[in-house]
Coordinates of all heavy atoms in Angstrom, one line a residue:
M1 N -14.4 -4.8 -17.5 CA -14.2 -3.8 -16.4 C -13.4 -4.4 -15.2 O -13.6 -5.5 -14.9 CB -15.6 -3.4 -15.9 CG -15.9 -1.9 -16.0 SD -17.4 -1.4 -15.2 CE -16.9 -1.6 -13.5
S2 N -12.6 -3.5 -14.7 CA -11.7 -4.1 -13.6 C -12.4 -3.8 -12.3 O -13.2 -2.9 -12.1 CB -10.4 -3.5 -13.7 OG -10.3 -2.3 -13.0
P3 N -12.0 -4.6 -11.3 CA -12.6 -4.5 -10.0 C -12.2 -3.2 -9.3 O -11.1 -2.6 -9.6 CB -12.0 -5.7 -9.2 CG -11.4 -6.6 -10.2 CD -11.1 -5.8 -11.4
I4 N -13.1 -2.7 -8.5 CA -12.9 -1.4 -7.8 C -12.4 -1.7 -6.4 O -12.9 -2.6 -5.7 CB -14.2 -0.6 -7.7 CG1 -14.8 -0.4 -9.1 CG2 -14.0 0.7 -6.9 CD1 -14.1 0.5 -9.9
R5 N -11.4 -1.0 -5.9 CA -10.9 -1.1 -4.6 C -10.7 0.3 -4.0 O -10.6 1.3 -4.7 CB -9.5 -1.8 -4.6 CG -9.5 -3.2 -5.0 CD -10.2 -4.2 -4.1 NE -10.1 -5.6 -4.5 CZ -11.1 -6.2 -5.3 NH1 -12.1 -5.4 -5.7 NH2 -10.9 -7.4 -5.6
S6 N -10.7 0.3 -2.6 CA -10.5 1.6 -1.9 C -9.1 1.8 -1.5 O -8.5 0.9 -1.0 CB -11.4 1.6 -0.7 OG -12.7 1.5 -1.0
C7 N -8.6 3.0 -1.6 CA -7.3 3.4 -1.1 C -7.4 3.4 0.4 O -8.4 3.9 1.0 CB -6.9 4.8 -1.6 SG -5.6 5.5 -0.7
I8 N -6.4 2.8 1.1 CA -6.5 2.7 2.5 C -6.3 4.1 3.2 O -6.7 4.3 4.3 CB -5.4 1.7 3.0 CG1 -5.6 1.4 4.5 CG2 -4.0 2.2 2.8 CD1 -4.9 0.1 5.0
A9 N -5.7 5.0 2.5 CA -5.4 6.3 3.1 C -6.5 7.3 2.9 O -6.9 7.9 3.9 CB -4.1 6.9 2.5
C10 N -7.0 7.5 1.7 CA -8.0 8.5 1.4 C -9.4 7.9 1.2 O -10.4 8.6 1.1 CB -7.6 9.4 0.3 SG -7.7 8.5 -1.3
K11 N -9.5 6.6 1.1 CA -10.8 5.8 1.0 C -11.4 6.0 -0.4 O -12.5 5.5 -0.6 CB -11.8 6.2 2.1 CG -11.3 6.3 3.5 CD -11.0 4.9 4.0 CE -10.5 4.9 5.4 NZ -9.7 3.8 5.8
S12 N -10.8 6.7 -1.3 CA -11.4 6.9 -2.6 C -11.4 5.5 -3.3 O -10.5 4.7 -3.2 CB -10.8 8.0 -3.4 OG -9.5 7.7 -3.8
R13 N -12.4 5.3 -4.2 CA -12.6 4.1 -4.9 C -12.1 4.2 -6.3 O -12.5 5.1 -7.0 CB -14.0 3.6 -4.8 CG -14.5 3.3 -3.4 CD -16.0 3.3 -3.2 NE -16.6 2.3 -4.1 CZ -16.6 0.9 -3.9 NH1 -16.1 0.5 -2.8 NH2 -17.2 0.1 -4.7
K14 N -11.2 3.3 -6.7 CA -10.6 3.4 -8.0 C -10.5 2.0 -8.6 O -10.5 1.0 -7.9 CB -9.2 4.0 -7.9 CG -9.2 5.4 -7.4 CD -7.8 5.9 -7.4 CE -7.8 7.4 -7.0 NZ -6.5 8.0 -7.0
N15 N -10.3 1.9 -9.9 CA -9.9 0.6 -10.6 C -8.6 0.1 -9.9 O -7.7 0.9 -9.6 CB -9.6 0.8 -12.0 CG -10.8 1.1 -12.8 OD1 -11.9 0.8 -12.4 ND2 -10.6 1.6 -14.0
K16 N -8.6 -1.2 -9.6 CA -7.5 -1.7 -8.8 C -6.1 -1.5 -9.5 O -5.1 -1.3 -8.8 CB -7.7 -3.1 -8.3 CG -7.4 -4.2 -9.2 CD -8.2 -5.5 -8.7 CE -7.3 -6.5 -8.1 NZ -6.5 -7.3 -9.0
E17 N -6.1 -1.4 -10.8 CA -4.7 -1.2 -11.4 C -4.3 0.3 -11.3 O -3.1 0.6 -11.6 CB -4.6 -1.7 -12.8 CG -5.6 -1.2 -13.8 CD -6.8 -2.1 -13.9 OE1 -7.1 -2.8 -13.0 OE2 -7.5 -2.0 -15.0
D18 N -5.2 1.1 -10.9 CA -4.7 2.5 -10.6 C -4.2 2.7 -9.2 O -4.0 3.8 -8.7 CB -5.9 3.5 -10.9 CG -6.2 3.5 -12.4 OD1 -5.3 3.3 -13.2 OD2 -7.4 3.8 -12.7
L19 N -4.1 1.6 -8.4 CA -3.7 1.7 -7.1 C -2.5 0.7 -6.9 O -2.3 -0.2 -7.7 CB -4.8 1.2 -6.1 CG -6.1 2.0 -6.1 CD1 -7.2 1.1 -5.5 CD2 -5.9 3.3 -5.3
F20 N -1.6 1.0 -6.0 CA -0.6 0.0 -5.6 C -1.2 -1.0 -4.7 O -2.1 -0.7 -3.9 CB 0.6 0.7 -4.8 CG 1.5 1.6 -5.6 CD1 1.7 2.9 -5.2 CD2 2.1 1.1 -6.7 CE1 2.5 3.7 -5.9 CE2 3.0 2.0 -7.5 CZ 3.2 3.3 -7.0
R21 N -0.8 -2.3 -4.9 CA -1.2 -3.3 -4.0 C 0.0 -3.8 -3.1 O 1.0 -4.1 -3.7 CB -1.8 -4.5 -4.8 CG -2.4 -5.6 -3.9 CD -3.2 -6.6 -4.7 NE -4.0 -7.4 -3.8 CZ -3.7 -8.7 -3.5 NH1 -2.7 -9.3 -3.9 NH2 -4.6 -9.3 -2.6
I22 N -0.2 -3.9 -1.8 CA 0.8 -4.4 -0.9 C 0.2 -5.6 -0.2 O -0.9 -5.5 0.3 CB 1.2 -3.3 0.1 CG1 1.7 -2.0 -0.7 CG2 2.2 -3.8 1.1 CD1 1.9 -0.8 0.2
V23 N 1.0 -6.6 -0.2 CA 0.6 -7.8 0.6 C 1.7 -8.2 1.6 O 2.8 -7.6 1.6 CB 0.3 -9.0 -0.4 CG1 -0.8 -8.7 -1.3 CG2 1.6 -9.4 -1.1
A24 N 1.3 -9.1 2.5 CA 2.3 -9.6 3.5 C 2.7 -11.0 3.1 O 1.8 -11.8 2.7 CB 1.7 -9.5 4.9
N25 N 3.9 -11.3 3.2 CA 4.3 -12.7 2.9 C 4.2 -13.5 4.3 O 3.7 -13.0 5.3 CB 5.7 -12.8 2.3 CG 6.8 -12.4 3.3 OD1 6.6 -12.3 4.5 ND2 8.0 -12.2 2.8
I26 N 4.6 -14.7 4.2 CA 4.4 -15.6 5.4 C 5.1 -15.1 6.6 O 4.7 -15.4 7.8 CB 4.8 -17.1 5.0 CG1 4.2 -18.0 6.0 CG2 6.3 -17.2 4.8 CD1 4.2 -19.5 5.5
D27 N 6.2 -14.3 6.4 CA 6.9 -13.7 7.5 C 6.4 -12.4 7.9 O 7.1 -11.6 8.7 CB 8.4 -13.6 7.2 CG 9.1 -15.0 7.0 OD1 8.8 -15.9 7.8 OD2 9.9 -15.1 6.0
K28 N 5.3 -12.0 7.4 CA 4.6 -10.7 7.7 C 5.4 -9.5 7.1 O 5.2 -8.4 7.6 CB 4.5 -10.5 9.2 CG 3.6 -11.6 9.9 CD 3.5 -11.3 11.4 CE 2.8 -12.4 12.1 NZ 2.7 -12.2 13.5
E29 N 6.3 -9.8 6.2 CA 7.0 -8.7 5.5 C 6.2 -8.2 4.4 O 5.6 -8.9 3.6 CB 8.3 -9.3 4.9 CG 9.3 -9.9 5.9 CD 10.0 -8.8 6.7 OE1 10.2 -7.7 6.2 OE2 10.4 -9.1 7.8
A30 N 6.2 -6.9 4.2 CA 5.4 -6.2 3.2 C 6.1 -6.4 1.8 O 7.3 -6.3 1.7 CB 5.2 -4.8 3.4
I31 N 5.3 -6.8 0.8 CA 5.8 -6.8 -0.6 C 4.9 -6.1 -1.5 O 3.7 -6.1 -1.3 CB 6.1 -8.2 -1.1 CG1 5.1 -9.2 -0.6 CG2 7.5 -8.7 -0.7 CD1 5.4 -10.6 -1.1
I32 N 5.5 -5.5 -2.5 CA 4.6 -4.8 -3.5 C 4.2 -5.9 -4.5 O 5.0 -6.5 -5.1 CB 5.4 -3.7 -4.2 CG1 6.0 -2.7 -3.2 CG2 4.5 -3.0 -5.2 CD1 7.1 -1.8 -3.8
D33 N 2.9 -6.0 -4.6 CA 2.3 -7.0 -5.6 C 2.1 -6.3 -6.9 O 1.0 -5.9 -7.2 CB 1.0 -7.5 -5.0 CG 0.4 -8.6 -5.9 OD1 1.0 -9.0 -6.8 OD2 -0.8 -9.0 -5.6
R34 N 3.2 -6.3 -7.7 CA 3.1 -5.5 -9.0 C 2.1 -6.1 -9.9 O 1.4 -5.3 -10.6 CB 4.5 -5.6 -9.7 CG 5.6 -5.1 -8.8 CD 5.8 -3.6 -9.1 NE 6.9 -3.1 -8.3 CZ 7.0 -1.8 -8.1 NH1 6.2 -0.9 -8.6 NH2 8.0 -1.3 -7.3
K35 N 2.0 -7.4 -10.0 CA 1.0 -8.0 -11.0 C -0.4 -8.1 -10.3 O -1.3 -8.6 -11.0 CB 1.5 -9.3 -11.5 CG 2.8 -9.1 -12.3 CD 3.3 -10.5 -12.9 CE 4.5 -10.2 -13.8 NZ 5.2 -11.5 -14.1
Q36 N -0.5 -7.8 -9.1 CA -1.8 -7.9 -8.4 C -2.4 -9.3 -8.5 O -3.6 -9.4 -8.7 CB -2.7 -6.8 -8.9 CG -2.1 -5.4 -8.8 CD -3.2 -4.3 -8.7 OE1 -4.3 -4.5 -9.1 NE2 -2.8 -3.1 -8.3
N37 N -1.6 -10.3 -8.4 CA -2.1 -11.6 -8.5 C -1.6 -12.5 -7.3 O -1.8 -13.7 -7.4 CB -1.8 -12.2 -9.8 CG -0.3 -12.3 -10.1 OD1 0.5 -12.0 -9.2 ND2 0.1 -12.7 -11.3
I38 N -1.0 -12.0 -6.3 CA -0.6 -12.8 -5.2 C -1.8 -13.1 -4.4 O -2.6 -12.3 -4.0 CB 0.5 -12.1 -4.3 CG1 1.8 -11.8 -5.2 CG2 0.8 -12.9 -3.1 CD1 2.8 -11.0 -4.5
N39 N -1.9 -14.4 -4.1 CA -3.1 -14.9 -3.5 C -3.0 -14.7 -1.9 O -2.7 -15.6 -1.2 CB -3.3 -16.4 -3.8 CG -4.6 -16.9 -3.3 OD1 -5.5 -16.1 -2.9 ND2 -4.8 -18.2 -3.2
S40 N -3.2 -13.5 -1.6 CA -3.1 -13.1 -0.1 C -3.9 -11.8 0.0 O -4.1 -11.1 -0.9 CB -1.6 -12.9 0.2 OG -1.5 -12.3 1.4
R41 N -4.4 -11.6 1.2 CA -5.1 -10.3 1.4 C -4.1 -9.2 1.2 O -3.0 -9.2 1.7 CB -5.7 -10.3 2.8 CG -6.8 -11.3 3.0 CD -7.6 -11.0 4.2 NE -8.2 -9.7 4.2 CZ -9.1 -9.3 5.0 NH1 -9.6 -10.1 6.0 NH2 -9.6 -8.1 5.0
G42 N -4.6 -8.1 0.6 CA -3.7 -7.0 0.4 C -4.4 -5.7 0.8 O -5.6 -5.6 1.1
I43 N -3.6 -4.7 0.8 CA -4.1 -3.3 0.9 C -3.8 -2.5 -0.3 O -2.8 -2.8 -1.0 CB -3.5 -2.6 2.2 CG1 -2.0 -2.6 2.1 CG2 -4.0 -3.3 3.5 CD1 -1.4 -1.7 3.2
Y44 N -4.6 -1.6 -0.6 CA -4.4 -0.8 -1.8 C -4.2 0.7 -1.4 O -4.7 1.2 -0.4 CB -5.7 -0.9 -2.7 CG -5.9 -2.2 -3.2 CD1 -6.5 -3.2 -2.5 CD2 -5.4 -2.5 -4.5 CE1 -6.7 -4.5 -3.0 CE2 -5.6 -3.8 -5.1 CZ -6.2 -4.8 -4.3 OH -6.4 -6.0 -4.8
I45 N -3.4 1.3 -2.2 CA -3.1 2.8 -2.0 C -2.9 3.5 -3.3 O -2.3 3.0 -4.2 CB -1.9 2.9 -1.0 CG1 -1.7 4.4 -0.6 CG2 -0.6 2.3 -1.6 CD1 -0.9 4.6 0.6
C46 N -3.4 4.7 -3.3 CA -3.3 5.6 -4.5 C -1.8 5.7 -4.9 O -0.9 5.8 -4.0 CB -3.8 7.0 -4.3 SG -5.6 7.1 -4.0
K47 N -1.5 5.9 -6.2 CA -0.2 6.2 -6.6 C 0.1 7.6 -6.6 O 0.4 8.3 -7.6 CB 0.0 5.7 -8.1 CG -0.3 4.1 -8.2 CD -0.2 3.7 -9.6 CE -0.3 2.1 -9.6 NZ -0.3 1.6 -11.0
N48 N 0.0 8.2 -5.4 CA 0.4 9.6 -5.2 C 1.1 9.8 -3.9 O 0.9 9.0 -2.9 CB -0.8 10.5 -5.4 CG -1.8 10.4 -4.4 OD1 -1.6 10.4 -3.2 ND2 -3.1 10.3 -4.8
K49 N 1.9 10.8 -3.8 CA 2.7 11.2 -2.7 C 1.8 11.4 -1.4 O 2.2 11.0 -0.3 CB 3.5 12.4 -3.0 CG 4.7 12.6 -2.3 CD 5.8 11.7 -2.8 CE 7.0 11.8 -1.8 NZ 7.9 10.7 -2.0
E50 N 0.7 12.1 -1.6 CA -0.2 12.5 -0.5 C -0.6 11.2 0.3 O -0.5 11.2 1.5 CB -1.4 13.3 -0.9 CG -1.1 14.6 -1.5 CD -0.4 14.6 -2.9 OE1 -0.7 13.7 -3.7 OE2 0.4 15.5 -3.2
C51 N -1.1 10.3 -0.4 CA -1.7 9.1 0.2 C -0.6 8.3 0.9 O -0.7 7.7 2.0 CB -2.5 8.2 -0.7 SG -4.1 9.0 -1.1
I52 N 0.6 8.2 0.2 CA 1.7 7.5 0.8 C 2.2 8.1 2.1 O 2.4 7.5 3.1 CB 2.8 7.3 -0.3 CG1 2.3 6.3 -1.3 CG2 4.1 6.8 0.4 CD1 3.3 6.1 -2.5
E53 N 2.3 9.4 2.0 CA 2.7 10.2 3.3 C 1.7 10.0 4.4 O 2.0 9.9 5.5 CB 2.9 11.6 3.0 CG 4.2 11.9 2.1 CD 5.5 11.3 2.7 OE1 5.7 11.5 3.9 OE2 6.3 10.7 2.0
K54 N 0.4 10.1 4.0 CA -0.6 10.0 5.0 C -0.6 8.6 5.7 O -0.7 8.5 6.9 CB -2.0 10.2 4.3 CG -3.2 10.3 5.2 CD -4.4 10.7 4.4 CE -5.7 10.7 5.3 NZ -6.9 10.9 4.5
L55 N -0.4 7.6 4.9 CA -0.3 6.2 5.5 C 0.9 6.1 6.3 O 0.8 5.5 7.4 CB -0.4 5.2 4.4 CG -0.3 3.7 4.9 CD1 -1.5 3.4 5.8 CD2 -0.4 2.7 3.7
K56 N 2.0 6.6 5.9 CA 3.2 6.5 6.7 C 3.0 7.2 8.1 O 3.4 6.6 9.1 CB 4.4 7.2 6.0 CG 5.1 6.3 5.0 CD 6.1 6.9 4.0 CE 7.1 7.9 4.4 NZ 7.9 8.3 3.2
K57 N 2.4 8.4 8.1 CA 2.2 9.1 9.3 C 1.2 8.3 10.2 O 1.5 8.1 11.4 CB 1.5 10.4 9.0 CG 2.6 11.5 8.8 CD 1.9 12.9 8.7 CE 2.9 13.9 8.1 NZ 2.3 14.8 7.2
A58 N 0.2 7.7 9.6 CA -0.8 7.0 10.4 C -0.1 5.8 11.0 O -0.4 5.4 12.2 CB -2.0 6.6 9.5
I59 N 0.7 5.1 10.3 CA 1.4 3.9 10.9 C 2.4 4.3 12.0 O 2.4 3.7 13.0 CB 2.2 3.1 9.8 CG1 1.2 2.5 8.8 CG2 3.1 2.1 10.4 CD1 1.8 1.9 7.5
N60 N 3.1 5.4 11.7 CA 4.1 5.9 12.7 C 3.4 6.3 14.0 O 3.9 6.1 15.1 CB 4.9 7.1 12.2 CG 6.0 6.6 11.3 OD1 6.6 5.6 11.6 ND2 6.3 7.3 10.3
K61 N 2.2 6.8 13.9 CA 1.4 7.3 15.1 C 0.5 6.2 15.6 O -0.3 6.4 16.5 CB 0.6 8.5 14.8 CG 1.5 9.7 14.5 CD 0.6 10.9 14.2 CE 1.4 12.2 14.0 NZ 0.6 13.3 13.5
N62 N 0.6 5.0 15.0 CA -0.3 3.9 15.4 C -1.8 4.2 15.3 O -2.6 3.8 16.1 CB 0.0 3.5 16.8 CG 0.5 2.1 16.9 OD1 0.1 1.3 16.1 ND2 1.5 1.9 17.8
K63 N -2.1 5.0 14.3 CA -3.5 5.4 14.1 C -4.3 4.7 13.1 O -5.3 5.2 12.6 CB -3.5 6.9 13.8 CG -3.3 7.8 15.1 CD -3.5 9.2 14.8 CE -3.5 10.0 16.1 NZ -3.5 11.5 15.9
I64 N -3.8 3.6 12.6 CA -4.5 2.9 11.6 C -4.4 1.4 11.8 O -3.4 0.8 12.3 CB -3.9 3.2 10.2 CG1 -4.8 2.7 9.1 CG2 -2.5 2.7 10.0 CD1 -4.6 3.4 7.8
K65 N -5.5 0.7 11.5 CA -5.6 -0.7 11.5 C -5.5 -1.2 10.1 O -6.3 -0.9 9.3 CB -6.9 -1.2 12.2 CG -6.8 -1.4 13.7 CD -7.8 -2.3 14.2 CE -7.2 -3.3 15.2 NZ -8.1 -4.4 15.5
L66 N -4.5 -2.0 9.8 CA -4.2 -2.4 8.4 C -5.0 -3.6 7.9 O -5.1 -3.9 6.8 CB -2.7 -2.6 8.2 CG -1.9 -1.4 8.3 CD1 -0.4 -1.7 8.3 CD2 -2.2 -0.4 7.2
K67 N -5.6 -4.3 8.8 CA -6.5 -5.5 8.5 C -5.7 -6.7 8.0 O -6.3 -7.7 7.7 CB -7.6 -5.1 7.5 CG -8.6 -4.1 8.1 CD -9.7 -3.8 7.0 CE -10.6 -2.8 7.6 NZ -11.4 -2.1 6.5
I68 N -4.5 -6.5 7.7 CA -3.7 -7.7 7.4 C -2.5 -7.7 8.4 O -2.1 -6.7 8.9 CB -3.2 -7.7 5.9 CG1 -2.3 -6.5 5.6 CG2 -4.3 -7.8 4.9 CD1 -1.6 -6.6 4.2
D69 N -2.0 -8.9 8.6 CA -1.0 -9.1 9.6 C 0.4 -8.8 8.9 O 0.9 -9.6 8.1 CB -1.0 -10.6 10.0 CG -0.3 -10.7 11.4 OD1 0.1 -9.7 12.0 OD2 -0.2 -11.9 11.9
I70 N 0.9 -7.6 9.2 CA 2.0 -7.1 8.5 C 2.9 -6.4 9.4 O 2.5 -5.7 10.3 CB 1.6 -6.3 7.3 CG1 2.6 -6.1 6.2 CG2 1.0 -4.9 7.8 CD1 2.1 -5.6 4.9
N71 N 4.2 -6.6 9.2 CA 5.2 -5.9 10.1 C 5.3 -4.4 9.7 O 5.5 -4.0 8.6 CB 6.6 -6.6 9.8 CG 7.7 -5.9 10.4 OD1 8.2 -4.9 9.9 ND2 8.2 -6.5 11.5
N72 N 5.1 -3.5 10.7 CA 5.0 -2.1 10.4 C 6.3 -1.6 9.8 O 6.3 -0.7 8.9 CB 4.8 -1.3 11.7 CG 3.3 -1.2 12.1 OD1 2.5 -1.7 11.3 ND2 3.0 -0.6 13.2
H73 N 7.4 -2.0 10.3 CA 8.7 -1.6 9.8 C 8.8 -1.9 8.3 O 9.2 -1.1 7.5 CB 9.9 -2.2 10.5 CG 11.2 -1.8 10.0 ND1 11.7 -0.5 10.2 CD2 12.1 -2.4 9.3 CE1 12.9 -0.4 9.7 NE2 13.2 -1.5 9.1
S74 N 8.4 -3.1 7.9 CA 8.6 -3.5 6.5 C 7.6 -2.7 5.6 O 7.9 -2.4 4.5 CB 8.4 -5.0 6.3 OG 7.1 -5.4 6.5
I75 N 6.4 -2.4 6.1 CA 5.5 -1.7 5.2 C 6.0 -0.2 5.1 O 5.9 0.4 4.0 CB 4.0 -1.7 5.7 CG1 3.1 -1.2 4.6 CG2 3.8 -1.0 7.0 CD1 1.7 -1.4 4.8
L76 N 6.6 0.3 6.1 CA 7.2 1.7 6.0 C 8.3 1.7 4.9 O 8.4 2.6 4.1 CB 7.7 2.2 7.3 CG 6.6 2.6 8.3 CD1 7.2 2.8 9.7 CD2 5.8 3.8 7.8
E77 N 9.1 0.7 4.9 CA 10.1 0.6 3.8 C 9.6 0.5 2.4 O 10.0 1.2 1.5 CB 11.0 -0.7 4.1 CG 12.1 -0.5 5.1 CD 13.0 -1.7 5.2 OE1 12.8 -2.7 4.5 OE2 13.9 -1.7 6.1
V78 N 8.5 -0.3 2.3 CA 7.8 -0.4 1.0 C 7.2 0.9 0.6 O 7.3 1.3 -0.6 CB 6.8 -1.5 1.0 CG1 5.7 -1.4 0.0 CG2 7.4 -2.9 0.9
L79 N 6.7 1.6 1.5 CA 6.1 2.9 1.2 C 7.1 3.9 0.8 O 6.9 4.8 -0.1 CB 5.3 3.5 2.4 CG 4.0 2.7 2.7 CD1 3.4 3.1 4.0 CD2 2.9 2.8 1.6
E80 N 8.3 3.8 1.4 CA 9.4 4.7 1.1 C 9.8 4.5 -0.4 O 10.0 5.4 -1.2 CB 10.6 4.3 2.0 CG 11.6 5.4 2.1 CD 11.2 6.6 2.8 OE1 10.4 6.5 3.8 OE2 11.5 7.7 2.4
E81 N 9.9 3.2 -0.7 CA 10.3 2.8 -2.1 C 9.2 3.3 -3.1 O 9.6 3.9 -4.1 CB 10.3 1.3 -2.1 CG 10.9 0.7 -3.4 CD 10.9 -0.8 -3.4 OE1 11.0 -1.5 -2.3 OE2 10.8 -1.4 -4.5
L82 N 8.0 3.1 -2.8 CA 6.9 3.6 -3.7 C 6.9 5.1 -3.8 O 6.8 5.7 -4.9 CB 5.5 3.1 -3.2 CG 5.3 1.6 -3.3 CD1 4.0 1.3 -2.7 CD2 5.4 1.1 -4.8
G83 N 7.2 5.8 -2.7 CA 7.3 7.3 -2.8 C 8.4 7.7 -3.7 O 8.2 8.7 -4.5
E84 N 9.5 7.1 -3.6 CA 10.7 7.4 -4.5 C 10.3 7.2 -6.0 O 10.7 8.0 -6.8 CB 11.9 6.7 -4.1 CG 12.6 7.3 -2.9 CD 13.6 6.4 -2.3 OE1 14.1 5.5 -3.0 OE2 14.0 6.6 -1.1
E85 N 9.6 6.1 -6.2 CA 9.2 5.8 -7.6 C 8.4 6.9 -8.2 O 8.5 7.2 -9.3 CB 8.4 4.5 -7.5 CG 8.8 3.4 -8.5 CD 8.1 2.2 -8.2 OE1 6.9 2.1 -8.6 OE2 8.6 1.3 -7.5
I86 N 7.5 7.4 -7.3 CA 6.6 8.5 -7.8 C 7.4 9.7 -8.1 O 7.2 10.4 -9.2 CB 5.5 8.8 -6.8 CG1 4.5 7.6 -6.7 CG2 4.7 10.0 -7.1 CD1 3.6 7.6 -5.5
W87 N 8.3 10.0 -7.3 CA 9.2 11.2 -7.6 C 9.9 11.1 -8.9 O 10.1 12.1 -9.6 CB 10.2 11.4 -6.5 CG 9.8 12.1 -5.3 CD1 10.0 11.7 -4.0 CD2 9.0 13.3 -5.2 NE1 9.4 12.5 -3.1 CE2 8.8 13.6 -3.8 CE3 8.5 14.2 -6.1 CZ2 8.1 14.7 -3.3 CZ3 7.8 15.3 -5.6 CH2 7.6 15.5 -4.3
E88 N 10.4 9.9 -9.2 CA 11.2 9.7 -10.4 C 10.3 9.8 -11.7 O 10.8 10.2 -12.7 CB 11.8 8.3 -10.4 CG 13.0 8.3 -9.4 CD 13.4 6.8 -9.0 OE1 12.9 5.9 -9.7 OE2 14.2 6.7 -8.1
N89 N 9.0 9.6 -11.6 CA 8.2 9.6 -12.8 C 7.7 11.0 -13.2 O 7.7 11.9 -12.4 CB 7.0 8.7 -12.6 CG 7.4 7.2 -12.6 OD1 8.4 6.9 -13.2 ND2 6.6 6.4 -12.0
Ligands
ZN101 ZN1 -5.7 7.6 -1.8

């Protein structure tokens, strides 16, 4: 059984491989942790447009605490990339 994590946007709890994992590197730049094995605190988000848009809005309005030290601009870029990926699938 795989570990359960919560989506940062909608708070629903899912198997961690059903969520995207985003971590911050040493320069506080957001990176997508595809293999979910980077030894760093991460945030999880559902693989759907709604949650990605919700998180983007919350960051833009400064309405969310991400709990990890991460550059807002870089996480917005990563979310943009993930959003496009979802469209393509
Ligand atoms: Zn979600």
